[in-house]
Amino acid sequence: MRRGVQPELYSYLSYREYLGDWYAARKAADSRFSHRLFARRAGVSSPSLLNEVIGGRRNLTPRTLEGFVHALELDDEAAAFFAALVDLDQAVTDEERNAAFRRVESSRRFRGARRIEGAGFRYLSNWFYPAIRELALCGGFQADPEWIRKQLQPPITAAQAREALDALFEIGLLVQEGDTVRAAEVSVATPHRVSGLAANNYHKQMLERASDSIEGASPDERHLLGVTVAIPASLVPELKRELNAMQERLLHLCDDAVDDAERVYQVELCLVPLTRGNP
């Protein structure tokens, strides 16, 4: 950001970072501008509130949010986007964060600034996106929403398949070569501010698919293992390393056989606590 140039709100996923950059630019443009002046314009009594919010030591309330919007001189569209960023940061549950991110991503101006990252979030937040990408590795793949809809288990709608195809092409995970569509190897750009939320969405949905398979797939098609153990907490890091190593071995096996791919599977390796710590 050039000295004194106001930051573009729609390129941010953290309202705190935006406030910090906004104040720095405002101060650079007018050395007389201060936290006290901002507080007066926002209608708040504490001159330090802006700095505390930027530093993550305080949150905005509905009343102070309204005051900040006034001090920032945001129009209605920008005010709604800023409020969505606040909710994204301050939400308590994944459901609330997902709802806030949907409001953020619904902004046309945000999609213009963070198009690929938004698509990356959707990729991890919808189980059928990675499934369709892997399906493209199988012989006979058709980039046709109706054909794809029927291949997935459980089935999705043609509209969902079309949406996923658009996002996969946008990210670069699918590429068109003449009349053929193939899977490509690229990194998925997921917004840092919501990467943890995207990972939570991914695992929740994939664990639901595993649960569905108990009654929806024959024992010949699936393989479920589980063991309940009592261990010292100090063993958990080693168990995580073992699971990571197992995942790498499984990926090597799958990569060696990808040329003959026929079907898409999900492999979940889980280590979850069933009791509270230090009983």
Side-chain angles (χ1 to χ4, degrees):
M1 182 179 65
R2 299 191 305 276
R3 180 179 178 85
V5 176
Q6 288 295 331
E8 173 54 54
L9 171 63
Y10 296 95
S11 67
Y12 285 79
L13 270 172
S14 167
Y15 84 93
R16 299 181 197 275
E17 291 176 10
Y18 170 75
L19 286 174
D21 290 347
W22 182 92
Y23 181 79
R26 190 72 174 78
K27 186 73 172 177
D30 180 3
S31 61
R32 294 171 298 176
F33 194 78
S34 65
H35 289 101
R36 186 175 298 278
L37 179 56
F38 180 90
R40 190 156 58 242
R41 291 184 176 181
V44 297
S45 59
S46 171
S48 65
L49 179 61
L50 174 62
N51 198 45
E52 292 176 344
V53 169
I54 291 172
R57 295 181 294 277
R58 295 276 296 276
N59 285 339
L60 289 181
T61 66
R63 187 185 72 80
T64 55
L65 169 60
E66 183 178 354
F68 271 50
V69 164
H70 176 75
L72 294 167
E73 299 180 335
L74 301 178
D75 61 26
D76 290 345
E77 181 184 3
F81 184 82
F82 184 78
L85 291 184
V86 172
D87 288 343
L88 180 63
D89 181 279
Q90 298 180 182
V92 176
T93 67
D94 283 353
E95 289 74 19
E96 292 172 343
R97 277 187 287 273
N98 275 308
F101 188 78
R102 284 193 294 271
R103 287 163 52 205
V104 168
E105 199 186 20
S106 69
S107 166
R108 176 181 54 80
R109 296 174 68 177
F110 171 81
R111 292 196 301 271
R114 305 290 288 267
R115 176 174 57 87
I116 297 299
E117 290 176 292
F121 177 85
R122 294 196 303 276
Y123 175 81
L124 287 177
S125 295
N126 295 279
W127 70 269
F128 50 89
Y129 281 45
I132 292 172
R133 188 268 171 192
E134 293 301 306
L135 185 61
L137 296 169
C138 300
F141 175 76
Q142 299 177 33
D144 173 66
E146 186 61 27
W147 182 86
I148 290 172
R149 180 188 75 79
K150 296 176 181 178
Q151 304 305 310
L152 296 186
Q153 186 176 306
I156 60 175
T157 66
Q160 288 175 317
R162 186 177 300 108
E163 173 190 289
L165 282 171
D166 289 344
L168 292 170
F169 280 116
E170 187 176 335
I171 299 169
L173 287 172
L174 290 182
V175 293
Q176 181 91 38
E177 293 181 346
D179 295 331
T180 303
V181 172
R182 67 171 180 84
E185 289 291 341
V186 298
S187 298
V188 177
T190 306
H192 173 69
R193 293 291 304 178
V194 291
S195 58
L197 175 60
N200 288 352
N201 292 339
Y202 174 83
H203 288 297
K204 283 180 179 178
Q205 294 197 25
M206 289 307 185
L207 286 171
E208 287 174 2
R209 303 288 75 77
S211 178
D212 292 343
S213 75
I214 295 175
E215 295 183 353
S218 72
D220 291 339
E221 294 179 304
R222 59 167 169 78
H223 189 57
L224 303 177
L225 294 175
V227 59
T228 306
V229 293
I231 59 171
S234 59
L235 186 59
V236 170
E238 184 176 348
L239 292 176
K240 289 184 177 181
R241 287 192 295 271
E242 288 294 323
L243 287 171
N244 289 338
M246 183 186 300
Q247 177 177 266
E248 288 300 314
R249 292 194 296 272
L250 292 173
L251 284 174
H252 284 309
L253 284 172
C254 296
D255 287 344
D256 288 344
V258 72
D259 290 341
D260 299 316
E262 299 171 317
R263 194 173 181 184
V264 178
Y265 270 80
Q266 175 70 14
V267 180
E268 285 289 330
L269 306 175
C270 303
L271 177 68
V272 294
L274 300 181
T275 61
R276 297 183 183 276
N278 300 319

